[in-house]
Amino acid sequence: MAEPATTPAATGDWAPEVFEEHGRELLASLRGHFEQVRDVPVARPYDPAELMSRLDAAVPQQGDDFSRILADTWDKVVPDLVQWNHPAFHGYFSTCASFPGVLAETMTAALNVNAMLWKTSPSASALELVVLRWLADMAGYPADADAVLVGGASLATLYALGAARDAAYGHDVREEGLAGPGVPVPRIYTSDQAHTSVDKAAITLGIGLRNVVRIPSDGDYRMRADLLEEAIAEDLAAGRRPVAVVATVGTTSVAAADPLGPISDICRRHDVWLHVDAAYGGLFALSDALRPALEDVSVGDSLVVNPQKTLFVPLDATSLHCRRRGALANTYRLVPEYLTSTHPGGTADFMDLSPQLGRGFRALKLWWVIRSFGLDGLRSRLDHAVDLANSLRALAAAHPDWDCPVPSDYPLVCLRYQPADGPRPDTPEGQAARDALNARIVEELNGAGEAFVSHSAIRDGYVIRVSLANIHTTSDDITRLWDALNRVAEKCR
């Protein structure tokens, strides 16, 4: 048997057997981390100057031993990370990297293929077509729509609105932009609860923040369709050009869902592009517990869903779908000579569907995770998250000092601490005091490291947001969280 090929360390990479040895070291240390993860602080207080002094150093002249690098990573880097993949991390829209996805990322990095053209890695592109169809089926969107995997929901919304702009003005905008004489002022409409990615897209596309029309939401934080109709009619009468409506399924603050049926009717009447930001809510269509209450996302001209938020896929993994076939390519396709290629039937060059050229192999981790758990497994895990959220809501409802000021069907719980002898929100001063009390609870809880939550502000003040998405979170973790919240709240009174 031939000896394994080796490469001199001074001129090349590790030999494959060394790579395997160090890979085992890494996996063993990760196993130990996750076996004891509930003893690991989710976050800890830190001093920025001390952190920088610990990490900052001159570029090394000589290579280090991997074992030392790994040890320094655990000793100097990991302790001051916020542990997003911790079962007690409940901040923002918490994400979760399941173990099949973690291993898929390792294989993807090792193979390091570029999925920009079909011919640059046919299997990567073919697999992307497959998982995009799967995701469309899961969300209830047409499976034959154009689709592409991108690096986050904010980028997906930007790319969709770029195509919507071109559809509204015609293809001359690719050459002339929006600066030509007599070009109508563009307008984008979205809820006052929508994500700031809409604003960032308007800035990037040259539409401008002034032309993002924020439509007021109703008592349940859903966009008011009647006021949307009025705003579009007013702009048309003034000679402005409606570009798109962005509706949200699973808003950031409270996980509300805009009424897609009435909104889509308005968009059809006025021939306005409807983009559905279902980054959070879209894939809960898999959930038996939630499906009957969900909006029909298939009415959108474009749709974003985020497997990294709800399907236990490591960052980043987002899909953009567009039922207006060819619209994304009409905006983003540019093919210099060195990128020309033939196109056998059924193939796709994903570089045509967004501004990105070099593209990683995101499809593999989706394929591994979906195949590892199957639809039944994903469905049961999403239902489990819903059950955990309902149990937390029940604990708050049964306690005289806590309430859930905003209902939601999703596993995002908004809490507020308001003890009977505490500040009352009847006056601006009382509301400010109550808000400050709840802000101290968040700060103290997160600082202690036992759990991590985030916050938002609704119409009547500050709320504590608890997002439940980690595949390892159990009912015992909810009990520990509830105990910690009450313990910290008593301390902060």
Side-chain angles (χ1 to χ4, degrees), residues 98 100 312 368-378 381 471:
S98 62
F312 323 112
W368 280 30
V369 170
I370 295 170
R371 288 194 61 193
S372 293
F373 299 131
L375 285 178
D376 288 345
L378 294 172
R381 287 162 174 82
I471 197 170

Side-chain angles (χ1 to χ4, degrees), residues 113-134 147 149 344-350 359-364 366-367:
V113 302
N114 188 333
M116 61 182 184
L117 295 168
W118 183 274
K119 73 176 183 180
T120 59
S121 210
S123 294
S125 294
L127 202 60
E128 188 160 345
L129 289 174
V130 170
V131 298
L132 286 165
R133 189 183 74 244
W134 287 358
L149 294 175
T347 63
D349 290 340
F350 283 104
R359 303 176 67 255
F361 187 11
R362 292 188 180 97
L364 188 71
L366 284 156
W367 196 57

Side-chain angles (χ1 to χ4, degrees), residues 6 41 78 86 94 176 198 240 290 301 324 345 371-372 423 433 461 473:
T6 59
V78 173
H86 193 294
S94 53
E176 305 296 335
V198 181
R240 305 183 189 103
L290 294 189
D301 294 287
R324 295 198 187 192
R371 288 194 61 193
S372 293
T473 302

Side-chain angles (χ1 to χ4, degrees), residues 4-41:
T6 59
T7 305
T11 58
D13 204 351
W14 291 339
E17 68 270 18
V18 175
F19 170 59
E20 180 185 8
E21 176 188 342
H22 293 328
R24 290 178 183 276
E25 287 182 69
L26 172 59
L27 286 177
S29 67
L30 286 170
R31 173 184 172 177
H33 169 76
F34 283 106
E35 285 177 340
Q36 305 297 324
V37 70
R38 286 176 176 81
D39 297 325
V40 175

Side-chain angles (χ1 to χ4, degrees), residues 153-207:
S154 294
L155 290 176
T157 292
L158 170 64
Y159 302 158
L161 292 179
R165 177 202 58 192
D166 290 3
Y169 284 91
H171 301 317
D172 287 346
V173 76
R174 278 172 57 108
E175 298 294 329
E176 305 296 335
L178 296 176
V183 175
V185 172
R187 304 285 266 182
I188 294 173
Y189 311 85
T190 196
S191 159
D192 58 12
Q193 302 298 307
H195 193 265
T196 53
S197 59
V198 181
D199 302 281
K200 288 189 175 184
I203 294 168
T204 306
L205 294 168
I207 291 171

Side-chain angles (χ1 to χ4, degrees), residues 115 153 205 284 300 359 392 395 402 443 461:
L205 294 168
F284 278 102
R359 303 176 67 255
L392 181 58
L395 289 168
W402 289 91
E443 183 177 1

Side-chain angles (χ1 to χ4, degrees), residues 1 7 9 15-16 47 52 113 127 160 162 172 222 241 250 260 316 320 328 330 358 364 404 418 458 485:
M1 184 176 186
T7 305
D47 175 73
M52 285 303 302
V113 302
L127 202 60
D172 287 346
R222 294 155 51 92
R241 180 66 53 84
L260 296 187
D316 50 43
L320 170 62
L328 291 171
N330 287 339
L364 188 71
C404 295
Q418 186 172 310
I458 58 175
L485 281 167

Side-chain angles (χ1 to χ4, degrees), residues 274-298:
L274 174 58
H275 175 63
V276 177
D277 176 2
Y280 178 61
L283 291 171
F284 278 102
L286 279 177
S287 165
D288 288 332
L290 294 189
R291 189 183 307 111
L294 299 186
E295 297 289 329
D296 177 11
V297 300
S298 70

